[in-house]
Amino acid sequence: MIDLIVSIFFMINLLLIATVFSNHVFLSTMRYILFVITLVSDSILLIIANLLLILHSTYFTIEVSLCIVFYLIVSLCAFVTPVTLTAMTLERYVAICLPLRHPELCSLHNTQKCILIILTVSSVPCFIILSTFIAATSSSVYTQHKRCSMEMFVSIPWQNHFKFALFQFYFFIMSITITFSYVKIMIVAKAASGENKKSTWKGLSTVILHAFQLLLCLIQLWCPFIESAIIKIDLLLYINVRYFNYVTFILAPRCLSPLIYGLRDEKFLNALKYLALCGLYKKKTGFT
């Protein structure tokens, strides 16, 4: 069942990515560029995480060095999505609260800088955790064959505490950013009128959806610590909780991006229909 869900949303993501690249307007607009980053990140995470789940459930072992590579990719993608969602929320804040500065702050040049910042910020936790693993592990471990899981990277209690503190720091910063943007946009929404009010409230609803998606992504950061506590109590409960966490906090938030932008954004939806229907939608919408 999970394989089917992953396959469906992977294909949807590919269609959405193709839609972004089908029109130069999307490739010159910050929010669409950030959107495609989440799609690429989510697609990679869905495929590799599902592959690791299959290998782990079938007791298949791989070399630890290869598992480290998989871990780095999955961890990077797991952070890229929430960090990018935070950046997208800030973009909505600038568009609604600082409309005159939006073209300047969200220019293509600044978008490139933003992408670099997203990748850097997302990479930091991965390499810090990897460094603690390397520091606490002998070199002979890398050639051993084991079942690949995130637990194998925590061999000493302090590593777990350090990872928890790092994850909570990211959770705190991103939560503050989302709350700040929401409050500021809410103030503008109440003061707006006419067409501007409609646009502002739509932006506010987008921020709310971002907040919900981001919350699911951030709860994922807590899952390893919840699971490590449950496994000491009951093994069967641990297996069920881990399966629930995988579906709810890894798969679900990666399936919300098409809903937030693929279906709610009228311009993007028209382009999506045009591409999906092989140009037959052009006569109706005038999209070119």
Side-chain angles (χ1 to χ4, degrees):
M1 183 63 181
I2 289 181
D3 294 340
L4 178 61
I5 295 174
V6 169
S7 300
I8 290 173
F9 278 94
F10 179 72
M11 296 304 296
I12 291 174
N13 284 353
L14 288 182
L15 180 60
L16 295 176
I17 293 171
T19 302
V20 173
F21 281 95
S22 69
N23 193 283
H24 67 90
V25 174
F26 298 142
L27 294 176
S28 59
T29 306
M30 175 180 276
R31 61 174 174 158
Y32 294 114
I33 295 174
L34 295 179
F35 174 50
V36 83
I37 288 175
T38 64
L39 291 175
V40 172
S41 172
D42 291 347
S43 299
I44 294 173
L45 188 143
L46 286 173
I47 294 299
I48 297 182
N50 195 54
L51 174 62
L52 291 178
L53 177 65
I54 294 172
L55 294 178
H56 191 270
S57 61
T58 55
Y59 295 89
F60 190 87
T61 60
I62 63 174
E63 197 172 84
V64 171
S65 57
L66 181 59
C67 184
I68 290 175
V69 174
F70 282 139
Y71 168 78
L72 285 175
I73 296 173
V74 170
S75 298
L76 177 62
C77 293
F79 275 96
V80 163
T81 295
V83 173
T84 306
L85 286 173
T86 305
M88 293 171 77
T89 300
L90 288 174
E91 187 275 334
R92 287 294 83 198
Y93 159 74
V94 173
I96 293 170
C97 300
L98 304 169
L100 297 179
R101 297 200 63 193
H102 184 264
E104 173 196 347
L105 295 176
C106 299
S107 64
L108 190 58
H109 179 66
N110 285 338
T111 300
Q112 295 171 349
K113 291 182 180 179
C114 182
I115 293 172
L116 183 60
I117 292 172
I118 288 171
L119 293 177
T120 302
V121 171
S122 302
S123 300
V124 170
C126 310
F127 286 104
I128 288 178
I129 293 170
L130 180 62
S131 298
T132 62
F133 170 74
I134 293 173
T137 308
S138 63
S139 57
S140 61
V141 172
Y142 304 124
T143 56
Q144 296 178 6
H145 283 70
K146 296 183 178 181
R147 293 170 69 192
C148 190
S149 66
M150 298 302 104
E151 289 77 10
M152 65 178 289
F153 292 94
V154 179
S155 56
I156 304 175
W158 71 262
Q159 290 176 298
N160 215 27
H161 300 321
F162 183 78
K163 185 167 73 170
F164 182 74
L166 184 64
F167 285 0
Q168 295 318 300
F169 174 74
Y170 271 69
F171 179 88
F172 176 76
I173 295 298
M174 287 187 276
S175 298
I176 290 296
T177 303
I178 288 285
T179 303
F180 169 80
S181 301
Y182 176 82
V183 171
K184 288 292 186 178
I185 294 175
M186 175 66 80
I187 294 173
V188 173
K190 288 184 176 181
S193 61
E195 286 296 321
N196 190 39
K197 189 178 187 69
K198 181 180 178 181
S199 175
T200 303
W201 280 102
K202 185 176 180 180
L204 183 63
S205 65
T206 300
V207 171
I208 293 173
L209 286 172
H210 280 331
F212 177 68
Q213 187 180 11
L214 184 60
L215 177 62
L216 293 179
C217 290
L218 293 178
I219 291 177
Q220 175 196 338
L221 303 180
W222 295 346
C223 290
F225 311 106
I226 297 173
E227 292 166 4
S228 62
I230 292 177
I231 196 173
K232 299 175 184 177
I233 303 172
D234 188 285
L235 181 59
L236 181 60
L237 178 61
Y238 164 76
I239 294 173
N240 292 331
V241 168
R242 187 167 190 177
Y243 183 83
F244 172 82
N245 289 342
Y246 176 73
V247 173
T248 308
F249 304 121
I250 296 181
L251 290 187
R254 269 75 197 178
C255 298
L256 287 177
S257 293
L259 172 64
I260 295 176
Y261 268 111
L263 298 180
R264 295 180 67 254
D265 190 290
E266 185 177 352
K267 182 189 296 184
F268 188 84
L269 183 59
N270 288 340
L272 179 61
K273 289 179 179 178
Y274 174 76
L275 184 65
L277 298 175
C278 303
L280 297 178
Y281 194 70
K282 180 178 179 180
K283 292 182 179 179
K284 183 177 179 180
T285 63
F287 179 79
T288 56

